Structure formats: structure tokens, C-alpha cells
Amino acid sequence: MSGATGLEEVVNALKALYQGTSQAEREQANVWLGQFQRTPGAWTTADAILGDDNLGVEAKLFAAQTLRNKIISDLAELGEKGALELRDSLVRHLLRARAGMRPLVTQLCLGLADVAVQVGAWADPFSDMAAAFREDAAAVGCLLEFLTVLPEEAVNERLEVPADFFRQRTELLLTRRAGDVIALLVQCLQQTDAHTRVLMCFTSWLRSGEITLAMIQDTPLVELVFAALQAEDSTVFETAVDAVCGIIQETHIDRDDSPEAVQAKDAAVERVLLPQLGALATQMRSDAQLAAGDEERARGYCHVFTEAGEAWVERIVGSIATFEGLVGALVDCMRLTTLDVITMMFDFWARLADVTLDCTSSCDGARRTLVVVYSTLIDIIIGHVRYPVADTAMSAKERDEFREFRHSIGDVLKDCVRVVGQSRALTQAYDVMARGIDGTSQTPWQDIEAPLFALRAMGAEVAPEEAEVLPKIMDMFARFPQHPRLRYAATLVIGRYTEWTYEHPQYVPFQLSYIVEGFKDREVAAASAQALKYLCQDCSRFLAAHWAELLRFFAETASSGTLEDADVIEFAEALAHVVSAVQAPETPAALEAFCLPVARELDALLQRAEASERDGAQVALLLDRLGVFLRFVHVDGNAPAEDLVSRIVVQTWPLVAAVLHRFAADAQVAESACKFLRVAAEFYGAVLRPEIGQVVDAVVNAFRATGLGVYLWLARRIIGVSSTLASDNAAALQLIATIVERMSEAALSLFAASSFSDAPETTEDYFRLVERAVEMAPGYVLNTSMFPLVFQAAAAALDVNHFHAQLAVLRAWAQVLGPTRRHLRLIRDSSSDSHYDAYPVNRVVDMCAAHGLDVAARLLLGMMHRFDRENVTDAAEVFVSLTVIASDGPCIIAAQFENPPLPTMCEWAQTALAQVPEANLSNSEKQVFLQDLADCIQRRQWSKIKTLVSDFSASFWRRNSAKN
């Protein structure tokens, strides 16, 4: 390619890209073409390619795309006169391409639309384009394509136009021309071959919001879009769906609608749209493509009817007879077997239930009709949540998706219960189960499991006092066929209705026996553990007398190997609830019966000379068991039990210390040890107080040796409850400062050996620790000897490329700079710093003066191209705080309150922007930003700086991401 120039060079590169024999040759050509598109010469070369009849469509399409991209990012290079000349050239190319390939026409129209949006000197794009293309039947398609893309490009975020100009331009291009576009589209209907393009153009303008119902309700366009729903072509069908939904949206009743407008919308709904939707419902029921499983067809029908339902929900309830056909179509949509499609309807059924209950009474005709509708939905949903007979053939992904669907549609079941009433809803599920049990022995388990799942989903809307149907359901469990999936589902139902069981304690023995029996089956054990937890939590008073039997069973089951670790933990939580309900004389014995065997086993494991991987897992499980038990057992007011629990916590600490020494690098054990210490610190702080120094030593040493973030997490939790771990406030503040200083020393050593991006989770945990510590003890933490190093590390950490770590770093900065900024304002307002000596304003100002350039540069450049877009708002706020401190801080701490703001941030920003190549950001753009920044600083318009840097960085990011 090096021997050719201009147009020939581009053509050769395109040949290499599309016809090259090697991957390296194609990649080299692709890189070269990308660089070419960013050069000023690309304007004339692309225009020449489009005008050369000897070149193929690939070259022309590339040229059109090049011009379109340059119009978006570099139109200012041409000036106003050059932009209008480009427009004229694009019109000529479009006329020549009118009978050519559609993608080329589309790219040229996109370029013209982008010119129309950006160039104010193009006074009347609609009239000019209509005059150029309207008279030639073959060219009408180009005009319709231009009008189709124009509303879409008007809101293209990649186009850089001032807000005021944008408002004026869209008013001219869209709002004032909407009526003319409708008239043009109606006229174009005379060309039968233009109907599809008319439909797409009409849909685009509907999406823009510029077309009102009054403009179209008496035109043939409404009939056109409904007729297009009969098309077998999927693109036409989907476009028609969007158009119909756009029309329906125009019938929403707005708060500021006049009575006449409301009446007109109601008339349009009843006179025009309901008859069309009725015909569409009939079409849906006989649609062969839908019956064959066409998912997109199902999605289209659901979209239309759901849009209508959501738009007219108040009308439906207020005039059910008029809208009964629509409701019937919505119910039919719920019958569709494309389960991921019908989820779009769930919000509608919730909203309809809300309006029904708010606006009707039980004796209203609308309520009676809708009770039948929701009752039908229950039967439909029970069918949908039924596992396939061949469920073993489902892949893991399909199984997960089906479970997610079941839980989503469970919310609709709750809405059904609200409308039809708990007894009727429960009876429907009961009847389905009864038919399965009373049928032949060949009844598939799926037929009974589905209504069991429905019962569990309904539970939130069933009152604990219900006494008509639930007793029959609970009595039925004993008659179920022996199948693990049925026992699993029934056990979960028991767990869901434990509040009901509390009101009906006669069922406690049966339910406890049923749950316990399930622990013998690995497939049921997880459900049994969960159900037992809730039964013990809600019905502990009825189980307290059986604590000894439960503990023995727990010991047997936990050691049997039939339970997963998570199930053992849930069982332990269940026992904690029961022990909490044990009467005072027996409570210490119950506590010892659970805790002492755990401590003994833990001690025995630690005595072994060498520990296996299995030993480590067992240590972790024992700590989890003890931790969750101490978390949920409550013995307040029971002095002997309180004393015993305190001794257990104190005596367990040496064991935990030994665990941290021996298993510090084992992530599973470390997490369990830290969770136990978190429980001890947060729930038994006064008990742990004498040992807190040792705890901090152990946590710091473990983190220094391993770098595991869980130790940072624990340190942050300890900081959060420092007031209960220390004897007084001063001691608590000193504890926080000590933790931060020591953990920072270890963390900064770790980060010195690797980048923050190499350890994003540790970075996140560390800076969340810093944020919490500065929040709780700013005067102590900011004055530590380590904090200048933390300040510098926080600056370097702004380069981290992980979302959550970025956010943690930015929030730590906000916690340091935000209060400093506020204290500076207070000092300035009072013209004295005598009241703010406790907050180290001077130190933060000095650190900002020393390292602010580094922080400012990383913040500004990060917002422009490195930060996650969701973090830019936080970064902009930090930038503003740094600007305030750099501008006013030195003068305020020197008591020079009348001095104007310093230009420090402008100098820092200029240095930062000098690193950005001019190809990405022109010198004139840099100067405009710096001048705007200087103006805001001099006027102390701090809030405007946040908007300025946010808009500036967003503009840079959009423009350069488009180029890349």
C-alpha cells in the first residue's frame, strides 16, 4: 500500500481487508483504514470514492461510513460553508444511489441527518429533501429513509451540540414538521411498494414523541400499522408492533389533559383501537406461526396487549364490560408457553390488582369479573410452574432459568390472592393436589409439586389465622406419594407457613417429625434445614421443651455427612432460636450442650501436629456453627446464661487466635474466623473488650502475612463498633487510629509489590476501611504518621480499573476532602479558626498542596477515559472538593479571608490536559475548558464546576470512544 496515494491507497487497503490471504494482512489493513478515517484528508477521499462509478459497493459503503463518522466527530473542521457543500454532495450521491443497495442509502441518510441536526445554516431540511426526492417515484424511498433516521439522530448522544441549539434545532426539524411528515406519509401510501418504508418512518416519528393521537386517528396510517401485524415478514411485524404500541402510548391520560382531551382520547380508544385490538386477538388465536412456537411473534402480541393493558388499566376497572375483550386477550397471552416472553406482563397484573382493590368493593361487577380473571390466572400459573416430565433432560442453564421464572411468576400469584381472596386461592391449589393424590398411582410428581410451589408463593398474602383450607392442606402431606421432590416441596411449604403454625400449634409435632425425617434424604436435607430454621424461629416456645432431643439429633446429623455445610449452619441457627426460648433454669445446660462439644472438637483439631485440607474445612465449619449460634441466641435478662455466654466467648478467643496463626492463609478458614470475631465484636463487645488489643494484633499479623481482604473487612467492622470495644470515647478513637495505622502499613507494603488493578478486591476493602475510619475519627486518623502515605496511595489508586474498587477509592477521597471543604467554609464564614481546631483542616490543605497535582490529574484524566461511567459523578464531586481546597484553603488557614481564589487547580488541569494528544482533544477545546474552569473558580461557582467537568469528560469520552 505504501506506493499508492489517496483514493487508490484506500481502495487497495479495502481489497486487503476483504480479500487478503493472511490474517496479518487483514489486521494491518483494518488498522490503517481506522487511522485514515481520522485524518482531515478523509473528507475529500471519501467523497471521491462515492462519486466514482467504477468502484464497488464495499468501497462506497466504507466511504459513506467514513463521512458519517467524521460528521459526528469532526464536522467543525469544515466550517459552515464546507458543511453545506458536504450536504449538497451527499444529496447528489444519494440521488445516484437511490436504486442501489439499502445499506448505502441508509449510511448516506444518516450522514445527512447528522448534518441537519448540527448545521443551523441549513434552514429547512424537510423542504429541501422533499423537493429533491419527492417527484421521482424511485427516489421517494430515499426521502422516507432520511425522515426515518432523522428523529433517531436528533437524540444521538454522540452529536456534540449545545443544549440551547439542540432545543431550537429539534423544534425546527421535528416538532414543527410532524404534521407535514404525516401528510407526506399518507400521500406515499398511494405507492404500494412504499408501504413498508412508510410504516418504518411512521414508527420512528412515533417513538420521537412528536406525533399526537389527534394527528393520526382519522388517517389511513392507523389501519396500515394494524394491517402490517398480519405480515409474515418478521421485520415488518416487529415494526408494526412498535407502531401500535406508540399509538397506544398516545392515549395515556396526562394530569394536565383538559376534559375535552380526555374525552377525545377515550373516544379514540373505544372507537378506533379496541375494535382493531379485538381483531388482533382473533388473529393471535389462529396464528399458525405462533402455534408453531415463533417466539418473536409471541413477544409481539404480548407487547401490544400489555401496552394496552398498562395504558388503560383505570379504564378497564372503570368500564370492565367495554374492555372485557382486551382482558380476555391478555389472559390468552398468559397461556402462551414461551415463558420468558410472558414475564413482560407481570407488572400489568400487579397494577391491575392494585387498581381493582383501590377502586372497587367486593360487590362491584368489575370486582366480580376480575375475581374470575385472577382465578383463571392461578390455574394458568400452576400449569406454567410445572416441571417438564422429562426434567432430567434440562440443562443446568435451562433449570436455573426455569427456577428464576417460577420465582418471578410467584409475585403474580400473590396478586391473584389479593384479588380472589386467600381461601379461594388456596382451594384452587388444594384441588389440584387432591386430584393428583386421588388419581392413579401413575400421577407424575410434577402434577403435585407445581401446586405446592404455588402455595409457597402465595404464603405472603395468607393470614396466620386462616383456618378453612390450610388445615386440609397440612393434613394432606402425610398422604403424598413417596418422592424426594414432593417431600422437598412440601417441606419448603411448611417452612413458609411457620407463622401460621404458631397460631395452630397442634401441627408442630407433625411438622417437626416431617422435617426431621427429611434430613435422612440428601435431596431433601437442604429444605429440611431451612424449614427447621423458620419453625424454630417462629415456634420456639413450643419446641423449647425438646431442646435436648434436637441437640442430639443435630450432633448425629452434623457428623453423618448427609448435610452440606450451609445446611449445618441453618440447623445451628434453628437451635439458637430454640435455646433462646428455654426457661431460665435449663438455659445454661442447653448452651453448654451446644457450645462445649464444638469448642472441644476445635481444640482437638488444633492439637494435631499437621493439619490436612479436610481439617481446615472442619475448623471453618466449627467456627461457623459457633458463630451463628452466638449470633442468634438471646439470653438477655437471664443472668446465669449471660455469664456463661460471656465465658464461652472469652474462652473461645484463644482457640480463634490459634486458628489465625495456623490457618491465616486458608481463605475459607480465614473467612470463618473473621465472621466469628465479627459476631463477638458486634454482639459481645463488652465481653471482648479486654482482649481487643490481642484481636487487633492477630488480625494485623494475619493480613500482613497473607494479604487476604477478609481481614480488612473485619477491621472495618471492628471500627464500626469501637465504642463498645473501648472503655471511653477517647480510647475508642485511639483504637480506630491504631487499626488504620497498622493495617495501612501492611496494606501499603502489599500494594508496593503489585498494582492496585492486580488486587482490586483488596483495594476495595482497604479504602472502604479508610473511608469508615475517617468518617468516625477524622481528627485521630488524619493526624496519624501514616496518613501522608495513605494520601499518596489513594492518589495512585485512582488508576485502578475495577468498578467497585474505583468507587471505594473515590468515596474514601470524598470522606477526606468533603468535610475539609465544609470546615473551610465554616471558618471563612466565621472569620476565625478557633472553633475548628479538633478537625485537622491545616493538615489536609497542606497535603493537597503537596500532592494535589497528582490527584487532580488522575481525577480529570480518569473521568475523561478510564473511570467507569457510573463513577464519574462521584469523581466530579471529589474534583470539586479538591478545587475548593486548592483555591481557598491556603488563604483561609492563613486568615486571609478577603483574598481571591488561587488559580492552582487551573494550573493542575492545564498540566493534566497537556498529556492528551491533540488528535483526541484540540488545543482550542482545552483552552475553552480551562477558561470556563477559571471563571467558575474566580466566581466561586463550585456547583457549576461539577457540571463543567462532568459534561467535558462525557463529551470527550463519547467522541473518542466513537473513534476507537
Side-chain angles (χ1 to χ4, degrees):
M1 289 187 292
S2 59
T5 59
L7 184 150
E8 183 180 355
E9 191 173 7
V10 174
V11 171
N12 288 340
L14 287 169
K15 287 181 180 177
L17 178 65
Y18 293 114
Q19 302 171 20
T21 56
S22 71
Q23 181 68 22
E25 182 183 8
R26 291 192 295 271
E27 290 178 356
Q28 181 184 2
N30 186 54
V31 171
W32 186 90
L33 288 168
Q35 294 171 343
F36 158 78
Q37 288 183 309
R38 292 191 283 272
T39 64
W43 291 110
T44 53
T45 302
D47 186 65
I49 291 174
L50 287 168
D52 191 331
D53 293 335
N54 295 319
L55 296 177
V57 69
E58 288 178 347
K60 289 180 180 291
L61 187 58
F62 171 78
Q65 291 170 335
T66 299
L67 287 178
R68 195 264 173 129
N69 287 333
K70 291 192 71 64
I71 289 168
I72 289 175
S73 58
D74 302 320
L75 189 59
E77 293 177 356
L78 300 182
E80 185 177 284
K81 180 180 178 183
L84 293 177
E85 291 174 352
L86 173 65
R87 172 204 62 187
D88 296 339
S89 183
L90 287 171
V91 169
R92 289 193 296 271
H93 294 318
L94 185 58
L95 281 167
R96 294 173 64 185
R98 63 187 181 276
M101 291 186 64
R102 178 79 178 272
L104 178 59
V105 170
T106 299
Q107 286 299 319
L108 292 170
C109 287
L110 285 167
L112 278 165
D114 292 332
V115 172
V117 173
Q118 296 181 87
V119 180
W122 189 0
D124 193 355
F126 175 84
S127 296
D128 292 345
M129 292 296 289
F133 293 92
R134 191 171 186 171
E135 299 305 322
D136 183 352
V140 167
C142 296
L143 175 60
L144 291 174
E145 186 70 11
F146 170 78
L147 292 174
T148 298
V149 301
L150 180 61
E152 299 164 0
E153 292 305 293
V155 294
N156 187 341
E157 291 185 352
R158 293 169 61 194
L159 296 178
E160 297 293 329
V161 293
D164 290 341
F165 177 82
F166 171 77
R167 286 191 291 270
Q168 296 170 5
R169 202 64 184 158
T170 52
E171 169 77 15
L172 173 71
L173 294 174
L174 304 181
T175 308
R176 295 182 190 175
R177 285 301 186 178
D180 296 325
V181 170
I182 293 300
L184 174 66
L185 294 179
V186 171
Q187 183 180 351
C188 289
L189 288 177
Q190 298 174 17
Q191 292 182 228
T192 305
D193 59 352
H195 281 195
T196 300
R197 288 179 181 260
V198 169
L199 172 66
M200 293 180 175
C201 183
F202 177 53
T203 303
S204 177
W205 279 74
L206 274 171
R207 291 195 196 105
S208 74
E210 298 294 343
I211 292 179
T212 65
L213 185 64
M215 291 180 183
I216 60 172
Q217 64 181 0
D218 295 322
T219 71
L221 292 172
V222 176
E223 293 183 7
L224 170 73
V225 296
F226 275 98
L229 290 171
Q230 301 175 26
E232 294 185 359
D233 182 273
S234 60
T235 300
V236 175
F237 176 80
E238 291 165 17
T239 303
V241 166
D242 289 342
V244 171
C245 290
I247 294 171
I248 290 170
Q249 288 168 7
E250 290 298 319
T251 64
H252 274 282
I253 302 297
D254 298 322
R255 289 183 178 181
D256 55 351
D257 279 346
S258 66
E260 293 77 12
V262 172
Q263 186 176 8
K265 288 181 178 181
D266 288 342
V269 168
E270 296 183 21
R271 180 173 59 86
V272 179
L273 297 181
L274 278 180
Q276 294 281 9
L277 290 173
L280 182 64
T282 301
Q283 173 186 318
M284 176 181 69
R285 294 176 184 119
S286 59
D287 191 315
Q289 289 176 267
L290 182 64
D294 188 323
E295 184 171 319
E296 292 309 313
R297 206 121 182 125
R299 192 180 307 278
Y301 285 123
C302 282
H303 191 183
V304 169
F305 288 115
T306 302
E307 190 72 50
E310 291 178 343
W312 305 337
V313 63
E314 286 85 3
R315 292 182 175 109
I316 291 171
V317 176
S319 183
I320 188 65
T322 302
F323 290 87
E324 198 165 359
L326 172 62
V327 174
L330 285 158
V331 171
D332 286 340
C333 286
M334 283 292 290
R335 298 182 197 276
L336 296 175
T337 56
T338 44
L339 301 185
D340 62 327
V341 170
I342 65 172
T343 56
M344 73 172 70
M345 308 181 69
F346 295 173
D347 288 342
F348 161 72
W349 293 115
R351 175 66 179 144
L352 181 62
D354 290 339
V355 176
T356 299
L357 296 173
D358 290 343
C359 301
T360 67
S361 64
S362 59
C363 58
D364 285 351
R367 174 73 71 89
R368 291 195 297 270
T369 299
L370 289 169
V371 163
V372 175
V373 168
Y374 277 92
S375 179
T376 303
L377 283 182
I378 292 175
D379 291 333
I380 293 172
I381 292 170
I382 290 175
H384 281 325
V385 300
R386 182 184 183 279
Y387 272 101
V389 173
D391 76 303
T392 54
M394 298 172 73
S395 66
K397 181 174 182 291
E398 289 171 336
R399 192 178 295 276
D400 289 342
E401 289 174 348
F402 185 60
R403 287 181 183 137
E404 184 179 348
F405 166 79
R406 297 214 313 171
H407 287 289
S408 295
I409 206 169
D411 291 334
V412 184
L413 279 170
K414 296 181 182 71
D415 298 322
C416 294
V417 177
R418 292 195 295 137
V419 175
V420 307
Q422 61 184 16
S423 294
R424 179 167 179 169
L426 292 171
T427 297
Q428 287 183 245
Y430 170 80
D431 289 343
V432 177
M433 290 189 294
R435 288 195 295 270
I437 294 173
D438 296 339
T440 67
S441 59
Q442 300 302 314
T443 300
W445 64 264
Q446 293 91 337
D447 289 358
I448 304 173
E449 192 275 343
L452 280 171
F453 175 84
L455 283 171
R456 185 153 57 97
M458 294 175 184
E461 299 299 329
V462 177
E465 297 78 21
E466 203 284 329
E468 180 182 346
V469 186
L470 274 176
K472 294 193 296 183
I473 291 172
M474 295 297 174
D475 293 340
M476 180 185 286
F477 288 176
R479 298 164 50 205
F480 279 178
Q482 290 301 313
H483 195 286
R485 299 293 288 271
L486 288 182
R487 192 172 199 99
Y488 183 96
T491 303
L492 289 178
V493 170
I494 290 173
R496 183 62 189 83
Y497 285 91
T498 50
E499 292 181 1
W500 177 88
T501 305
Y502 180 84
E503 299 294 335
H504 303 80
Q506 66 271 27
Y507 285 93
V508 169
F510 165 75
Q511 291 186 357
L512 180 61
S513 174
Y514 195 88
I515 291 170
V516 166
E517 189 68 21
F519 280 105
K520 299 176 182 178
D521 190 326
R522 282 185 177 273
E523 292 187 55
V524 185
S528 293
Q530 184 184 111
L532 184 63
K533 178 179 72 174
Y534 291 125
L535 185 67
C536 291
Q537 178 179 309
D538 292 329
C539 302
S540 58
R541 60 177 291 192
F542 306 115
L543 295 168
H546 305 284
W547 68 265
E549 298 97 307
L550 284 170
L551 277 171
R552 282 195 296 272
F553 180 69
F554 172 75
E556 295 169 4
T557 307
S559 61
S560 68
T562 60
L563 292 183
E564 299 291 336
D565 290 352
D567 301 331
V568 173
I569 301 307
E570 289 206 313
F571 203 151
E573 181 182 337
L575 290 174
H577 294 300
V578 173
V579 172
S580 298
V582 172
Q583 294 301 305
E586 291 187 272
T587 311
L591 289 167
E592 287 184 340
F594 181 88
C595 297
L596 295 187
V598 175
R600 283 196 292 267
E601 187 175 353
L602 184 60
D603 185 53
L605 286 169
L606 292 171
Q607 295 302 320
R608 294 181 181 177
E610 294 185 6
S612 66
E613 183 177 341
R614 183 176 179 182
D615 289 340
Q618 186 62 18
V619 166
L621 180 58
L622 290 169
L623 286 172
D624 286 339
R625 282 165 55 177
L626 190 55
V628 78
F629 184 85
L630 293 173
R631 162 68 180 83
F632 289 102
V633 72
H634 299 290
V635 292
D636 299 341
N638 185 338
E642 287 181 344
D643 291 342
L644 179 58
V645 170
S646 297
R647 289 201 305 275
I648 290 170
V649 172
V650 170
Q651 293 169 8
T652 305
W653 159 241
L655 296 176
V656 179
V659 168
L660 290 176
H661 178 73
R662 188 167 184 177
F663 295 94
D666 186 314
Q668 182 185 5
V669 178
E671 181 175 347
S672 297
C674 288
K675 285 194 294 186
F676 176 87
L677 288 174
R678 173 245 169 177
V679 169
E682 293 185 357
F683 295 93
Y684 303 95
V687 175
L688 193 63
R689 186 182 300 159
E691 321 296 337
I692 192 60
Q694 296 178 37
V695 172
V696 172
D697 287 343
V699 172
V700 171
N701 291 335
F703 175 65
R704 182 183 290 115
T706 67
L708 292 178
V710 69
Y711 298 115
L712 292 165
W713 169 83
L714 175 59
R716 179 166 57 86
R717 300 306 291 253
I718 290 174
I719 285 174
V721 293
S722 56
S723 60
T724 62
L725 293 166
S727 56
D728 55 38
N729 187 57
L733 296 173
Q734 187 57 54
L735 174 63
I736 294 172
T738 300
I739 291 173
V740 170
E741 192 159 27
R742 297 187 62 190
M743 292 300 276
S744 293
E745 182 182 359
L748 297 187
S749 297
L750 173 69
F751 294 135
S754 63
S755 73
F756 292 99
S757 293
D758 290 337
E761 293 179 356
T762 305
T763 300
E764 178 188 354
D765 286 326
Y766 173 68
F767 283 101
R768 290 185 71 188
L769 167 68
V770 171
E771 177 196 6
R772 186 72 167 129
V774 175
E775 176 189 8
M776 296 194 65
Y780 280 72
V781 174
L782 297 177
N783 276 319
T784 60
S785 60
M786 280 296 299
F787 202 78
L789 297 177
V790 174
F791 194 96
Q792 295 174 60
L798 288 167
D799 289 343
V800 70
N801 58 10
H802 184 275
F803 169 77
H804 294 291
Q806 269 181 19
L807 186 58
V809 175
L810 289 168
R811 288 184 173 172
W813 273 113
Q815 192 58 56
V816 172
L817 301 184
T820 304
R821 170 186 171 185
R822 290 192 291 274
H823 277 79
L824 285 171
R825 184 178 68 247
L826 291 171
I827 296 171
R828 182 186 184 86
D829 291 346
S830 66
S831 297
S832 169
D833 64 356
S834 60
H835 300 296
Y836 306 102
D837 292 339
Y839 193 91
V841 175
N842 294 23
R843 192 161 206 233
V844 177
V845 172
D846 290 344
M847 284 189 285
C848 288
H851 307 289
L853 170 59
D854 190 24
V855 179
R858 293 175 193 268
L859 280 171
L860 187 56
L861 298 177
M863 286 186 283
M864 291 169 65
H865 63 82
R866 189 178 58 255
F867 290 162
D868 188 284
R869 292 297 95 192
E870 292 184 25
N871 287 337
V872 168
T873 299
D874 292 270
E877 188 64 41
V878 173
F879 185 89
V880 173
S881 293
L882 180 61
T883 303
V884 174
I885 295 169
S887 304
D888 279 344
C891 296
I892 289 176
I893 62 176
Q896 298 170 349
F897 301 114
E898 301 303 321
N899 284 13
L902 299 175
T904 309
M905 179 55 80
C906 293
E907 297 167 1
W908 291 344
Q910 184 174 17
T911 302
L913 292 179
Q915 303 176 41
V916 182
E918 189 173 357
N920 299 99
L921 184 69
S922 67
N923 287 330
S924 61
E925 290 174 302
K926 295 176 184 178
Q927 290 306 313
V928 169
F929 170 74
L930 292 171
Q931 185 59 55
D932 289 343
L933 178 62
D935 291 343
C936 290
I937 291 173
Q938 288 305 307
R939 295 181 174 89
R940 291 193 172 92
Q941 295 174 328
W942 310 124
S943 61
K944 285 190 176 181
I945 293 178
K946 182 176 181 180
T947 303
L948 173 67
V949 295
S950 297
D951 291 347
F952 174 72
S953 61
S955 172
F956 179 89
W957 184 84
R958 285 196 298 266
R959 186 166 64 248
N960 286 277
S961 64
K963 288 181 179 180
N964 294 332

CSV table of all heavy atoms in Angstrom, one decimal, residues 385-404:
chain,number,residue,atom,x,y,z
A,385,VAL,N,-45.7,-23.4,36.1
A,385,VAL,CA,-44.6,-23.7,37.1
A,385,VAL,C,-44.4,-25.2,37.2
A,385,VAL,O,-43.5,-25.6,38.0
A,385,VAL,CB,-44.9,-23.0,38.5
A,385,VAL,CG1,-45.0,-21.5,38.4
A,385,VAL,CG2,-46.1,-23.7,39.1
A,386,ARG,N,-45.1,-25.9,36.4
A,386,ARG,CA,-45.0,-27.4,36.5
A,386,ARG,C,-43.7,-27.8,35.8
A,386,ARG,O,-43.4,-27.4,34.6
A,386,ARG,CB,-46.2,-28.1,35.8
A,386,ARG,CG,-46.2,-29.6,35.8
A,386,ARG,CD,-47.4,-30.1,35.0
A,386,ARG,NE,-47.4,-31.5,35.1
A,386,ARG,CZ,-46.7,-32.3,34.3
A,386,ARG,NH1,-45.9,-31.8,33.4
A,386,ARG,NH2,-46.9,-33.7,34.4
A,387,TYR,N,-42.8,-28.6,36.4
A,387,TYR,CA,-41.6,-29.1,35.8
A,387,TYR,C,-42.0,-30.0,34.6
A,387,TYR,O,-43.0,-30.7,34.7
A,387,TYR,CB,-40.8,-29.8,36.8
A,387,TYR,CG,-39.8,-29.0,37.5
A,387,TYR,CD1,-40.1,-28.6,38.9
A,387,TYR,CD2,-38.6,-28.5,37.0
A,387,TYR,CE1,-39.2,-27.8,39.6
A,387,TYR,CE2,-37.7,-27.8,37.7
A,387,TYR,CZ,-38.0,-27.4,39.0
A,387,TYR,OH,-37.2,-26.6,39.7
A,388,PRO,N,-41.2,-30.0,33.5
A,388,PRO,CA,-41.5,-30.9,32.4
A,388,PRO,C,-41.3,-32.3,33.0
A,388,PRO,O,-40.6,-32.6,33.9
A,388,PRO,CB,-40.4,-30.6,31.4
A,388,PRO,CG,-39.9,-29.2,31.8
A,388,PRO,CD,-40.1,-29.1,33.3
A,389,VAL,N,-42.1,-33.2,32.3
A,389,VAL,CA,-42.0,-34.6,32.7
A,389,VAL,C,-40.6,-35.2,32.6
A,389,VAL,O,-40.0,-35.9,33.4
A,389,VAL,CB,-43.0,-35.5,31.9
A,389,VAL,CG1,-42.7,-37.0,32.2
A,389,VAL,CG2,-44.4,-35.1,32.2
A,390,ALA,N,-39.9,-34.7,31.5
A,390,ALA,CA,-38.5,-35.1,31.3
A,390,ALA,C,-37.6,-34.1,31.8
A,390,ALA,O,-36.7,-33.6,31.1
A,390,ALA,CB,-38.3,-35.4,29.8
A,391,ASP,N,-37.7,-33.7,33.1
A,391,ASP,CA,-36.9,-32.6,33.6
A,391,ASP,C,-35.5,-32.9,33.7
A,391,ASP,O,-34.6,-32.0,33.7
A,391,ASP,CB,-37.5,-32.1,35.0
A,391,ASP,CG,-37.1,-33.1,36.1
A,391,ASP,OD1,-37.4,-34.3,35.9
A,391,ASP,OD2,-36.4,-32.7,37.1
A,392,THR,N,-35.1,-34.2,33.7
A,392,THR,CA,-33.7,-34.6,33.8
A,392,THR,C,-33.0,-34.2,32.5
A,392,THR,O,-31.8,-34.2,32.5
A,392,THR,CB,-33.6,-36.1,34.0
A,392,THR,OG1,-34.4,-36.8,33.0
A,392,THR,CG2,-34.1,-36.5,35.4
A,393,ALA,N,-33.8,-34.0,31.4
A,393,ALA,CA,-33.2,-33.6,30.2
A,393,ALA,C,-32.8,-32.1,30.1
A,393,ALA,O,-32.2,-31.7,29.2
A,393,ALA,CB,-34.1,-34.0,29.0
A,394,MET,N,-33.3,-31.4,31.1
A,394,MET,CA,-33.0,-29.9,31.1
A,394,MET,C,-31.5,-29.7,31.4
A,394,MET,O,-30.9,-30.4,32.3
A,394,MET,CB,-33.8,-29.2,32.2
A,394,MET,CG,-35.3,-29.3,31.9
A,394,MET,SD,-36.3,-28.6,33.3
A,394,MET,CE,-36.0,-26.9,33.1
A,395,SER,N,-30.9,-28.8,30.7
A,395,SER,CA,-29.5,-28.4,31.0
A,395,SER,C,-29.5,-27.6,32.3
A,395,SER,O,-30.5,-27.1,32.8
A,395,SER,CB,-28.9,-27.6,29.9
A,395,SER,OG,-29.6,-26.3,29.8
A,396,ALA,N,-28.3,-27.4,32.9
A,396,ALA,CA,-28.2,-26.6,34.1
A,396,ALA,C,-28.7,-25.2,33.9
A,396,ALA,O,-29.3,-24.6,34.7
A,396,ALA,CB,-26.7,-26.6,34.6
A,397,LYS,N,-28.4,-24.6,32.7
A,397,LYS,CA,-28.8,-23.3,32.4
A,397,LYS,C,-30.3,-23.2,32.3
A,397,LYS,O,-31.0,-22.3,32.8
A,397,LYS,CB,-28.2,-22.8,31.1
A,397,LYS,CG,-28.5,-21.4,30.7
A,397,LYS,CD,-27.7,-21.0,29.4
A,397,LYS,CE,-28.0,-19.6,29.0
A,397,LYS,NZ,-29.3,-19.4,28.5
A,398,GLU,N,-30.9,-24.2,31.6
A,398,GLU,CA,-32.4,-24.2,31.5
A,398,GLU,C,-33.0,-24.4,32.9
A,398,GLU,O,-34.1,-23.8,33.1
A,398,GLU,CB,-32.8,-25.4,30.6
A,398,GLU,CG,-32.4,-25.1,29.1
A,398,GLU,CD,-32.7,-26.4,28.2
A,398,GLU,OE1,-32.7,-27.5,28.8
A,398,GLU,OE2,-32.9,-26.2,27.0
A,399,ARG,N,-32.4,-25.2,33.7
A,399,ARG,CA,-33.0,-25.4,35.0
A,399,ARG,C,-33.0,-24.1,35.9
A,399,ARG,O,-33.9,-23.7,36.5
A,399,ARG,CB,-32.3,-26.5,35.8
A,399,ARG,CG,-33.0,-27.0,37.0
A,399,ARG,CD,-32.1,-28.2,37.6
A,399,ARG,NE,-32.1,-29.3,36.7
A,399,ARG,CZ,-33.1,-30.2,36.7
A,399,ARG,NH1,-34.2,-30.1,37.5
A,399,ARG,NH2,-33.0,-31.3,35.8
A,400,ASP,N,-31.8,-23.4,35.8
A,400,ASP,CA,-31.7,-22.1,36.5
A,400,ASP,C,-32.7,-21.1,36.0
A,400,ASP,O,-33.3,-20.4,36.8
A,400,ASP,CB,-30.3,-21.6,36.4
A,400,ASP,CG,-29.3,-22.4,37.2
A,400,ASP,OD1,-29.7,-23.2,38.1
A,400,ASP,OD2,-28.1,-22.3,36.9
A,401,GLU,N,-32.8,-21.0,34.7
A,401,GLU,CA,-33.8,-20.1,34.1
A,401,GLU,C,-35.2,-20.4,34.5
A,401,GLU,O,-36.0,-19.5,34.8
A,401,GLU,CB,-33.6,-20.1,32.6
A,401,GLU,CG,-32.3,-19.4,32.1
A,401,GLU,CD,-32.1,-19.6,30.6
A,401,GLU,OE1,-32.9,-20.3,30.0
A,401,GLU,OE2,-31.2,-18.9,30.1
A,402,PHE,N,-35.5,-21.7,34.6
A,402,PHE,CA,-36.9,-22.1,34.9
A,402,PHE,C,-37.2,-21.7,36.4
A,402,PHE,O,-38.2,-21.3,36.8
A,402,PHE,CB,-37.1,-23.6,34.7
A,402,PHE,CG,-38.5,-24.0,34.9
A,402,PHE,CD1,-39.6,-23.5,34.2
A,402,PHE,CD2,-38.8,-25.0,35.9
A,402,PHE,CE1,-40.9,-23.9,34.4
A,402,PHE,CE2,-40.1,-25.4,36.1
A,402,PHE,CZ,-41.2,-24.9,35.4
A,403,ARG,N,-36.2,-22.0,37.2
A,403,ARG,CA,-36.3,-21.6,38.7
A,403,ARG,C,-36.5,-20.1,38.8
A,403,ARG,O,-37.4,-19.6,39.6
A,403,ARG,CB,-35.1,-22.0,39.4
A,403,ARG,CG,-35.0,-23.6,39.7
A,403,ARG,CD,-33.8,-23.9,40.5
A,403,ARG,NE,-33.6,-25.3,40.7
A,403,ARG,CZ,-32.5,-26.0,40.5
A,403,ARG,NH1,-31.4,-25.3,40.3
A,403,ARG,NH2,-32.4,-27.3,40.7
A,404,GLU,N,-35.8,-19.3,38.1
A,404,GLU,CA,-35.9,-17.9,38.1
A,404,GLU,C,-37.3,-17.4,37.6
A,404,GLU,O,-37.9,-16.6,38.2
A,404,GLU,CB,-34.8,-17.2,37.3
A,404,GLU,CG,-34.8,-15.7,37.3
A,404,GLU,CD,-33.7,-15.1,36.5
A,404,GLU,OE1,-32.8,-15.8,36.0
A,404,GLU,OE2,-33.7,-13.9,36.3
